[in-house]
Amino acid sequence: MSPPLFTLDAILAATGGRAEDVASDAINSISIDSRELGPEALFVAIKGDRFDGHDFVDTALANGAVAALVSEGRSEGPGRIVVADALGGLRDLARAARARSRGFIVGVTGSVGKTTTKEALRLVFEAAGETHASIKSFNNHWGVPLMLARMPESAQFGVFEMGMNAPDEIRPLSQMVRPHVAVITAIAAAHLERLGSLENIARAKAEIFEGVEPGGAVVLNADHPQINILLEAAAAAGITRVVTYGFGRGVDWQITEVETAADKSFATIVQGDEQYALTLGVPGRHMLSNATAALIVAHLAGIEPQVALRALAAFGAQPGRGQRLVFGPTDKPLVVIDESYNANTASMAAALAVFSGIEAPGGRKLVVLGDMLELGADADALHAGLADAVRASGAERVHLVGRHMAALAAALPEALVASHSSTIAEAVDVIMGDLAYGDALMVKGSNGVGLSRIVTEVKAKFAQS
């Protein structure tokens, strides 16, 4: 029988809390959502932007949680573990989980490709041993400690995604995770509203170096002009093991001989005198770049290259991040490329480049593009700057959603713009009425625009037709 994730005594020791009539001595899962509770769950009552977990403690306990971690003075009754601050207590549990771990720990950040690289690493590590990885995009001030606290002591590998919207956000996350390897996937125009420049974005991402374990390594995508900022920051953090990768010359691991098909990608990865044939079950140069980062980390972890390459061959796109969906008759299906989760200038250009290689099965090529959020004063110009990439994608009809997409509408030929709506609510009926079997559709925009609703509507209509 496996040991519990935490004993009650271990929780009290880690948090300095006190137990109020907690009946169970074993905690085997941790949740911050009273509706999603695992077995023998500890419910952590954190205060979020919209909800306060303390309002749901009784619900969580009624739904099967064996205990609730609550802030002093916020919730009373049996089944409580009372600490000074519930989120602080969750962080204490995260540090305790990391302190007892003997696993190989990896931290991943970057403007684009974080989640995809994390998922590629999860696949590779699972082929080599027990692996614990962040779910979804739980990468912020509560997501990282939640994911770290859930890591079993027996895990041989741990992979944690770290995100940020402003300076000084990644540093404490990395210092909590203490990765043996830190990966920065790319620097691109995201969160410019708060950070102001690509250089500042690079410096904020480089905060991940400050948590790297002594003797650890960093893996850096060199295909952006800010690479020198990252190299300087790594040196300032005392990190001597720096590995670069990319499509250009002069990197430690070079991606060459690239081929992409509708649902696959191929490349030769050159590292010194060694060459590796990389195959993925998803199209796109950016996907090859993310997978190369995973291959490098596997090498640093001592995993045989062929083990990593076989695992990566099964790698496919995730929902909202390039997943390919097919509906209807085999001879004339509706093909949907779901890129609805997030967007910035780099990921938008990459997605449109992939779409350029996709053929409509017997109809038209359409794209739905939503605003790229948090781009600051240059937002309109950056949206207008997508015009060449849209034209090169081969799209015949373009539906635009969001205030800043008006700038792109003005930069495109009038005949190409099928519609422009301020909100997704206004756009849904227009877009759905324009789709038919045989079409190829790509949906791409920042998560806050809500374009995932289009994908949901397509599934509901065309999967049942």
Side-chain angles (χ1 to χ4, degrees):
M1 183 175 178
S2 300
L5 181 63
F6 285 100
T7 64
L8 178 59
D9 285 344
I11 290 173
L12 298 179
T15 64
R18 68 177 187 275
E20 301 284 357
D21 297 320
V22 176
S24 177
D25 184 55
I27 296 294
N28 278 307
S29 61
I30 300 175
S31 177
I32 60 170
D33 190 333
S34 62
R35 301 163 299 179
E36 298 179 2
L37 299 169
E40 298 173 303
L42 173 68
F43 173 70
V44 182
I46 69 170
K47 188 178 186 305
D49 295 332
R50 294 183 297 166
F51 302 105
D52 188 339
H54 293 91
D55 297 332
F56 301 93
V57 170
D58 289 334
T59 300
L61 294 172
N63 287 348
V66 296
L69 190 72
V70 301
S71 301
E72 183 76 54
R74 295 301 316 281
S75 181
E76 297 180 356
R80 273 72 167 171
I81 300 172
V82 183
V83 294
D85 173 71
L87 179 55
L90 179 61
R91 290 171 176 149
D92 289 336
L93 292 178
R95 293 186 187 97
R98 179 63 183 92
R100 72 189 181 189
S101 174
R102 297 297 177 265
F104 186 88
I105 308 299
V106 181
V108 182
T109 192
S111 300
V112 291
K114 294 186 294 296
T115 302
T116 301
T117 301
K118 179 258 297 179
E119 286 300 306
L121 280 165
R122 180 183 60 78
L123 268 182
V124 169
F125 285 152
E126 284 179 344
E130 182 182 350
T131 300
H132 176 78
S134 300
I135 63 171
K136 303 177 183 178
S137 288
F138 282 17
N139 62 21
N140 64 0
H141 65 288
W142 57 259
V144 172
L146 176 62
M147 292 298 98
L148 186 56
R150 287 180 176 180
M151 182 170 65
E153 185 174 1
S154 56
Q156 297 168 267
F157 302 98
V159 188
F160 300 92
E161 179 180 337
M162 302 178 206
M164 60 89 194
N165 295 310
D168 303 318
E169 292 183 348
I170 288 182
R171 180 181 297 105
L173 302 180
S174 184
Q175 290 172 342
M176 186 184 305
V177 171
R178 292 167 36 219
H180 297 102
V181 176
V183 180
I184 297 183
T185 59
I187 302 300
H191 311 303
L192 281 173
E193 192 168 31
R194 293 190 181 185
L195 289 154
S197 69
L198 290 172
E199 291 74 20
N200 286 340
I201 292 172
R203 294 184 185 100
K205 297 296 183 184
E207 291 174 16
I208 195 172
F209 301 154
E210 298 181 42
V212 173
E213 285 284 87
V218 298
V219 176
L220 306 176
N221 180 349
D223 290 331
H224 55 83
Q226 293 75 37
I227 182 62
N228 286 335
I229 293 176
L230 300 183
L231 293 172
E232 291 169 4
I239 297 170
T240 58
R241 299 176 68 197
V242 178
V243 183
T244 58
Y245 68 97
F247 296 94
R249 294 180 180 275
V251 294
D252 299 312
W253 294 63
Q254 186 181 10
I255 308 166
T256 66
E257 300 178 1
V258 172
E259 297 180 37
T260 61
D263 58 355
K264 289 187 180 295
S265 298
F266 311 88
T268 298
I269 312 302
V270 179
Q271 185 243 338
D273 295 331
E274 301 291 334
Q275 294 190 5
Y276 306 105
L278 176 62
T279 300
L280 303 179
V282 62
R285 288 169 61 89
H286 60 303
M287 293 295 188
L288 290 166
S289 180
N290 296 332
T292 300
L295 182 62
I296 295 167
V297 175
H299 173 78
L300 293 171
I303 298 172
E304 289 295 324
Q306 292 309 313
V307 172
L309 291 166
R310 281 195 300 270
L312 290 169
F315 180 67
Q318 306 300 304
R321 294 179 171 85
Q323 186 177 52
R324 180 187 177 96
L325 305 169
V326 181
F327 305 97
T330 55
D331 61 332
K332 196 177 180 182
L334 169 64
V335 177
V336 178
I337 309 301
D338 177 13
E339 287 272 7
S340 60
Y341 184 77
N342 216 342
N344 55 43
T345 55
S347 66
M348 190 74 83
L352 288 165
V354 169
F355 194 61
S356 69
I358 293 176
E359 296 183 3
R364 308 153 302 164
K365 294 182 66 171
L366 302 88
V367 296
V368 177
L369 304 180
D371 272 1
M372 302 176 290
L373 302 178
E374 299 182 22
L375 292 184
D378 294 330
D380 285 345
L382 291 169
H383 282 76
L386 296 172
D388 287 344
V390 171
R391 284 191 287 263
S393 74
E396 299 163 63
R397 293 178 66 76
V398 180
H399 293 274
L400 303 173
V401 183
R403 176 168 59 92
H404 295 297
M405 278 296 169
L408 177 56
L412 290 172
E414 185 176 346
L416 190 58
V417 180
S419 71
H420 174 232
S421 306
S422 298
T423 67
I424 188 62
E426 298 172 10
V428 168
D429 290 343
V430 175
I431 295 168
M432 292 303 298
D434 198 23
L435 293 178
Y437 289 118
D439 290 343
L441 169 71
M442 186 186 76
V443 181
K444 178 74 173 173
S446 286
N447 193 39
V449 180
L451 294 191
S452 60
R453 181 174 170 184
I454 296 296
V455 180
T456 300
E457 294 281 348
V458 167
K459 289 178 179 178
K461 177 178 179 179
F462 287 92
Q464 298 175 7
S465 298

